[in-house]
Structures are given as C-alpha cells and as structure tokens.
Amino acid sequence: MIRGCTLRQGLTALTLALAAMPGGADPAAAQAAAVARPAPQFVTTSDSVRLAVIVAGSGPPVLYLHGGPGQASISFERMGGSALESFATMHYLDQRGAGRSDSAADLSLERMIGDIDEVRRWTGHDRIYLLAHSFGGVLAVNYAARHPEHVAGLILVGATVHFWSDSLLAEQIAFMDSLLGREGAAGPAANRDTLLARHAERRRALNQQDIGYRLLTDTVATIQTMIALDRSYPRNPQFGASVMREPEARAEYYRNYAELTGSIAAPVLVLAGRRDHAIGPRHFRSFRFPNQRIVEIDGGHLFYYERNAEFVKAVREFLAAEAARPDP
C-alpha cells in the first residue's frame, strides 16, 4: 500500500479511463470494427501456446508488436496500419495472453522474446522489420539486442523503452494539471509513492470531466473507434492485467532500456508524436541507437491513425531507403 492509492490503482488509471469514455462507441466506430479482413492464423510456440497472427500485404516482412501492455493488434491494423500493406507484408501479432492469442503460464520477457523469434521463423524470413507501438518498444529493443542477426530494422511508433517511469508520471501530472487549470500546482515530488498518488488523483478529476482520453488523443471519436474495435471480439486480458496489477513480479518490464538502445546497430526509424502524452513527447530523446532517423509528427499517441498520411509516408521512405542500400 502506498500513500493515497495502491500501486495497482496508480498503474491502471490510464486503462480504466478508456472504459469510461463519454458516449461509448458510436455507430460509425462500430461499423469500422466490422470491416472484412483476413482471418488470423495461429502459430503454436515451443511451450504449446497458440499465437494469433494476421498476414496481409506484399513487400518486405514487417512484424507488428502492439502496446498496452496487452492491447492486441486489431486497433492498429484497422486504424491505419493496413495502409502499410501496399508496400510491406504485415504480420499483426497478438502477444501471448492478449487479443486472440492463448493465455500462458510463462509471461516473462525472455519468453516474449522467444515468441517473437518463433513467429519470425514461422514467416520463413531470416531477417524481419519490427514495428512497435507504445509498450511494444520494450519488446522490440530487447529482441533486437538479443537477436541482431534477424533484425532488418526497427520502426518505433510512439514507442517507449522505459515503461511508466518517474519522469513520465511527472510529465503526465503536469499535463493533467494544465487540463484542470492547475498549472504549477504539483511542485517537486519526494518519491514515487507521491507521484503515483498525485497521478491517481488527477486521473479521477479528469474522468469526472470526461476528458481522461486526452493523454492519448485530443479527439474523442478516435478513442470511440478504438473501443469499438477492442470490444468487437472476446479479447484476452491476461498479459495486460498481469503486468499492470503485479508490477513487482513483472519488474523486468518496468526497467529503463534506454542504455540498451546504444548497442543496437540495426537501422531505426523513430516516429514521435509532438502531443503524445501517453509516453511523453520528449521520451525519444533518451534513445541512443547509432543508426536512427527521427521524424516528429504533430499528433498524439495514436498519430498513426489521425495523421495516417504522414505516418505511412515516413515508413514507406524508410523501407525504400533500406531496400536501396547495398548488401553489407
């Protein structure tokens, strides 16, 4: 127990806010959820867990690693991600314990890295691009550090390498105070317990005004579309619940992997939202990839949907530039 709130309450605040959006999912959003798409295929891992993967498009192989944790791939796929299929072969993976994939006894980072490699082998490609959103950045950089020979490149889309850091909490508190008209009210926090208590209190205040979605986007319709997609099928909540509710047991997911980025030689495209308050608009400045290209987009955490043309253009140009490079 911490002062003002439990650790679980502090960590689940953002997730809980999405379930209480004003008006729920509108009819147009529900219709978007029904768009015909390829059915998932299933990859059975070495520990007998079935992982759902949708494959679509043509071009260099790209494996999508969703955020959340435990968000699943459907919202990215149907909210702009499918536009990449005109020049890339997309593999939309639901991680174990998430989306349409099975629950599992082993939810460790080591096992998640193993899943990525087993799916990579299943695709038939020796080298593959990893496209990671949000929390998926933690998985992508750890896989790239462990298996550099199998990574053609990384595409980090509003991705974090330090999940729920103290600096992020402080940034979010300041942003929430600006929305609540409390600029400068917080002052320095003595410790993480204080940060979490303040964060939970601000979230409650935002939710009372039906503006808790503002950490992700300025547009409520975007969240309504995402909610409709997430509710359009029986989604497995196991992994997300475990990471968010058991932070001490899942401490490896909360470590700062910024230093690790300096050891990853693969080409990296970093796409950052200037108004992304879910991971912090300046978080990408901690990345140390030796071969990185940074593109800032004037959007929030879901800019791949709201600024889709800019997002697609940046990814297309990155993949085209890498294809044009002579083999080493």
Side-chain angles (χ1 to χ4, degrees):
M1 182 75 69
I2 64 173
R3 291 186 298 275
C5 66
T6 65
L7 184 56
R8 171 182 170 182
Q9 288 170 331
L11 293 174
T12 57
L14 181 58
T15 302
L16 293 176
L18 298 182
M21 290 305 308
D26 63 19
Q31 187 175 26
V35 173
R37 290 289 295 163
Q41 303 177 56
F42 288 89
V43 180
T44 302
T45 66
S46 55
D47 63 341
S48 302
V49 175
R50 294 195 323 151
L51 303 177
V53 185
I54 285 180
V55 183
S58 61
V62 177
L63 177 60
Y64 175 66
L65 302 178
H66 61 75
Q71 176 68 21
S73 64
I74 188 171
S75 58
F76 175 81
E77 175 204 348
R78 301 194 189 186
M79 293 175 69
S82 61
L84 304 177
E85 295 165 14
S86 64
F87 54 85
T89 303
M90 296 297 300
H91 301 79
Y92 305 96
L93 167 66
D94 284 354
Q95 297 148 25
R96 63 174 50 211
R100 292 152 291 197
S101 292
D102 289 349
S103 295
D106 188 351
L107 297 176
S108 67
L109 179 58
E110 181 74 19
R111 183 60 255 186
M112 287 288 187
I113 292 171
D115 286 352
I116 295 170
D117 201 50
E118 290 186 29
V119 172
R120 191 269 312 161
R121 292 201 299 271
W122 175 82
T123 70
H125 295 280
D126 185 57
R127 298 172 74 243
I128 196 167
Y129 289 91
L130 298 180
L131 190 158
H133 179 240
S134 196
F135 175 82
V138 170
L139 305 181
V141 298
N142 276 279
Y143 179 84
R146 184 71 57 83
H147 298 288
E149 70 279 9
H150 297 308
V151 177
L154 299 181
I155 303 168
L156 302 181
V157 182
T160 183
V161 297
H162 190 188
F163 181 59
W164 214 262
S165 65
D166 285 2
S167 61
L168 171 59
L169 289 170
E171 283 189 34
Q172 288 186 340
I173 289 167
F175 176 67
M176 289 188 283
D177 279 348
S178 72
L179 295 177
L180 295 166
R182 304 179 185 176
E183 287 88 350
N191 52 45
R192 185 173 177 85
D193 288 0
T194 302
L195 281 171
L196 285 166
R198 289 178 177 177
H199 193 278
E201 186 276 327
R202 269 66 167 184
R203 289 311 312 231
R204 287 191 294 270
L206 287 183
N207 291 341
Q208 287 171 359
Q209 298 184 30
D210 287 335
I211 55 174
Y213 64 89
R214 291 289 300 276
L215 288 172
L216 296 176
T217 175
D218 292 332
T219 308
V220 68
T222 297
I223 294 298
Q224 291 173 331
T225 300
M226 186 174 74
I227 290 172
L229 288 164
D230 287 341
R231 292 178 178 173
S232 66
Y233 69 104
R235 193 175 98 190
N236 189 343
Q238 184 204 21
F239 180 69
S242 178
V243 173
M244 298 296 278
R245 295 175 181 175
E246 305 167 0
E248 291 84 3
R250 303 293 175 200
E252 60 190 342
Y253 290 114
Y254 292 84
R255 291 177 190 148
N256 186 354
Y257 292 105
E259 185 175 348
L260 184 63
T261 64
S263 67
I264 296 171
V268 179
L269 172 63
V270 177
L271 298 176
R274 293 194 181 97
R275 291 178 285 114
D276 184 350
H277 299 287
I279 66 162
R282 294 174 294 278
H283 176 63
F284 72 92
R285 296 180 185 176
S286 68
F287 299 173
R288 296 293 179 264
F289 301 103
N291 185 13
Q292 68 181 18
R293 178 191 175 197
I294 297 171
V295 177
E296 292 187 71
I297 293 177
D298 187 24
H301 196 52
L302 307 177
F303 63 77
Y304 59 80
Y305 173 67
E306 295 176 325
R307 313 288 287 191
N308 186 253
E310 294 173 59
F311 162 69
V312 172
K313 178 177 182 289
V315 177
R316 180 191 293 113
E317 291 178 351
F318 174 73
L319 291 178
E322 291 307 311
R325 288 183 188 274
D327 292 334

